[in-house]
Amino acid sequence: MVEMNEAIEIVQEVLENNKIDFPKKYIEDLASAYIRRDLSDDELNELVLKVQEAYEREHIEAGEAVGTVAAQSVGEPGTQMTMRTFHYAGVAELNVTLGLPRLIEIVDARQKISTPTMDIYFEPEYKDDEDFVRTLANRIGKSTLNDILSYFKLDYAGMAVNAVIDEKKIEDRKLEYDDIIETIQKHFKDAVIEDNNLTIGVKTDKVKHPIRELRLLGDKVRDLQISGKKDIGKVIIRKAEIGPNETEFVMHTEGSNLKDIFKEEGIDKKRTTTNNIHEIEMVLGIEAARNAIVQELNKTLSEQGLSVDIRHIMLVADMMTSEGIVKSIGRHGISGQKSSVLARAAFEETGKHLLHASLRGETDGLNGIIENIIIGQPIPLGTGSVSVTMKPDAYE
């Protein structure tokens, strides 16, 4: 049996003999096929030539309008997309924005998305530990005081909120009793707690509408958050299949806080992710954000049964992240910041762009496509991207 390193050397030798240069990934894939299929030297040589033929066929012609083709390839299928919010894949309890609204969220580079979610994976030693996973889920998921009360009443006669804390509910949620009491006393200075009985009164002499204040106080008491990470609400745990007869625990969250989740023990940082592009940029950097844009756009289109060449999506992602930050593809982003005055004016707010350009004395080099179409010149694409001159003497 040929080892992988040996197979890679054999493939590289075939490539050198044929004067072919392939990316590293192609070489590894060819080496893998060589081992798996037990190819002869002639078969490997033929395979390399076939791959070379397909590789060259996929090259883009010089002067090709890649931007226009990418825009059409992503935009046209977008007209066939639905505008609904679906349940999260495999998790009925969570909703997530899909289809056209999600596509618009991504290309607009919105800071606040409508349904942020996280997929949290665990390191090998924790992925089957149900107790660890459930304890962590209770710690990061949002719990309110109302979740651990066995009794709650507004006492209008005594102008106070009366409640009973249920220790069994605290134990079931794997929370700490002392931490909860500390949180209550921190937020309600007048709280009295005796044998799990909680009483918080309203100072009637200091408020104009005591009954309204009592009702507002009751809502504040029930809604007091006693555990959880910032911006994370509901947490769903499920078992995901990762292979034949092999499963692992995965957590899905309503809301997102990648930075704080990465600080938790047992989290697989390589697989844990969020659908919030700006959060990925802030925590992992612009390259990670670029990859996230590619994956999110591809996934959004694929879920609608639409097939778009990944290279068109990659071009969109590259344009959005080329300056080191995530920029939208609109008048506040890429389209509105073009160097050409005419290109900016052709997109939106024509009068404003022309007025500002005239006030500042801007010039337009007519280097792009849009501005040359506007003034009726040949565009710098295809045959228009080269200049041909004739030498009369040579012709004679």
Side-chain angles (χ1 to χ4, degrees):
M1 185 71 177
V2 179
E3 295 293 330
M4 188 63 178
N5 290 338
E6 187 181 347
I8 288 174
E9 289 178 5
I10 293 170
V11 170
Q12 286 174 331
E13 187 178 341
V14 173
L15 293 173
E16 287 173 7
N17 291 338
N18 288 284
K19 297 181 179 178
I20 296 172
D21 185 25
F22 273 163
K24 182 181 176 182
K25 184 69 171 66
Y26 277 37
I27 296 171
E28 290 174 354
D29 288 345
L30 285 166
S32 179
Y34 176 71
I35 296 170
R36 193 171 61 254
R37 299 288 182 179
D38 193 22
L39 302 177
S40 66
D41 291 344
D42 290 340
E43 288 172 331
L44 176 62
N45 192 68
E46 186 178 350
L47 176 62
V48 166
L49 294 175
K50 289 284 186 185
V51 172
Q52 168 71 357
E53 183 183 340
Y55 184 66
E56 289 182 347
R57 191 169 59 243
E58 292 297 319
H59 279 183
I60 296 168
E61 292 286 341
E64 181 71 52
V66 290
T68 304
V69 174
Q72 190 275 336
S73 299
V74 176
E76 191 279 328
T79 63
Q80 304 169 38
M81 299 179 81
T82 57
M83 298 187 71
R84 292 178 291 164
T85 297
F86 294 86
H87 286 302
Y88 196 87
V91 185
E93 296 91 339
L94 289 181
N95 283 336
V96 63
T97 303
L98 298 178
L100 189 58
R102 177 59 182 154
L103 191 73
I104 293 169
E105 272 185 352
I106 298 167
V107 297
D108 276 357
R110 292 190 180 163
Q111 290 281 352
K112 288 191 175 181
I113 59 176
S114 52
T115 53
T117 59
M118 291 184 70
D119 298 334
I120 302 174
Y121 293 86
F122 300 94
E123 293 175 349
E125 59 266 36
Y126 296 104
K127 66 184 179 70
D128 296 316
D129 189 340
E130 184 172 357
D131 186 61
F132 172 83
V133 172
R134 293 200 179 280
T135 301
L136 180 61
N138 284 311
R139 192 165 72 246
I140 69 172
K142 182 180 179 181
S143 292
T144 63
L145 191 56
N146 192 56
D147 295 328
I148 59 160
L149 297 179
S150 59
Y151 174 83
F152 181 88
K153 184 182 178 181
L154 297 179
D155 180 6
Y156 291 101
M159 279 296 160
V161 174
N162 295 323
V164 177
I165 298 170
D166 191 328
E167 289 193 36
K168 188 176 186 310
K169 288 184 178 179
I170 294 175
E171 187 180 336
D172 290 342
R173 289 178 175 269
K174 301 183 184 299
L175 301 174
E176 292 294 331
Y177 182 86
D178 292 341
D179 292 343
I180 294 168
I181 300 302
E182 186 180 335
T183 302
I184 294 170
Q185 291 175 334
K186 180 180 177 182
H187 284 82
F188 303 104
K189 304 295 184 184
D190 299 327
V192 177
I193 304 169
E194 292 180 358
D195 297 328
N196 296 335
N197 292 304
L198 170 64
T199 304
I200 307 173
V202 174
K203 294 180 179 178
T204 55
D205 57 327
K206 293 187 178 181
V207 294
K208 289 183 179 180
H209 306 286
I211 292 177
R212 190 181 71 177
E213 288 296 324
L214 180 62
R215 289 173 178 168
L216 290 172
L217 178 62
D219 291 339
K220 287 180 181 178
V221 170
R222 283 187 292 192
D223 294 338
L224 176 64
Q225 185 169 337
I226 55 173
S227 72
K229 295 290 184 184
K230 184 184 176 185
D231 297 328
I232 293 183
K234 189 187 297 181
V235 176
I236 306 297
I237 301 169
R238 73 182 181 99
K239 275 244 174 181
E241 291 188 11
I242 55 174
N245 302 319
E246 190 178 0
T247 59
E248 68 173 338
F249 282 109
V250 181
M251 284 199 308
H252 305 284
T253 69
E254 193 176 75
S256 177
N257 189 336
L258 197 65
K259 184 178 180 180
D260 284 354
I261 292 299
F262 275 180
K263 294 176 183 177
E264 294 290 334
E265 180 189 358
I267 300 297
D268 186 341
K269 297 178 181 63
K270 290 183 179 178
R271 294 189 294 158
T272 296
T273 188
T274 173
N275 63 350
N276 189 327
I277 308 295
H278 284 284
E279 196 171 355
I280 290 175
E281 178 198 2
M282 182 182 69
V283 178
L284 299 173
I286 194 65
E287 286 292 337
R290 182 257 183 197
N291 290 338
I293 292 170
V294 172
Q295 290 176 12
E296 289 291 325
L297 282 174
N298 195 34
K299 184 173 74 172
T300 302
L301 292 163
S302 300
E303 283 164 347
Q304 299 282 310
L306 303 172
S307 178
V308 177
D309 192 306
I310 193 70
R311 290 178 296 176
H312 300 318
I313 296 171
M314 289 166 71
L315 181 59
V316 172
D318 287 340
M319 286 299 297
M320 290 177 67
T321 57
S322 61
E323 294 184 19
I325 58 171
V326 177
K327 298 174 73 173
S328 65
I329 303 181
R331 70 165 179 258
H332 300 299
I334 296 164
S335 298
Q337 295 174 5
K338 289 182 177 178
S339 58
S340 167
V341 177
L342 293 176
R344 293 200 305 270
F347 182 69
E348 276 183 5
E349 301 178 315
T350 305
K352 188 190 85 172
H353 286 299
L354 293 177
L355 176 62
H356 287 179
S358 61
L359 289 172
R360 290 194 293 261
E362 286 188 55
T363 58
D364 197 320
L366 303 177
N367 298 316
I369 300 165
I370 298 168
E371 49 267 40
N372 280 289
I373 290 174
I374 290 172
I375 65 167
Q377 284 193 162
I379 62 173
L381 282 178
T383 55
S385 61
V386 294
S387 298
V388 179
T389 55
M390 184 178 74
K391 292 183 178 179
D393 295 342
Y395 177 71
E396 290 174 2

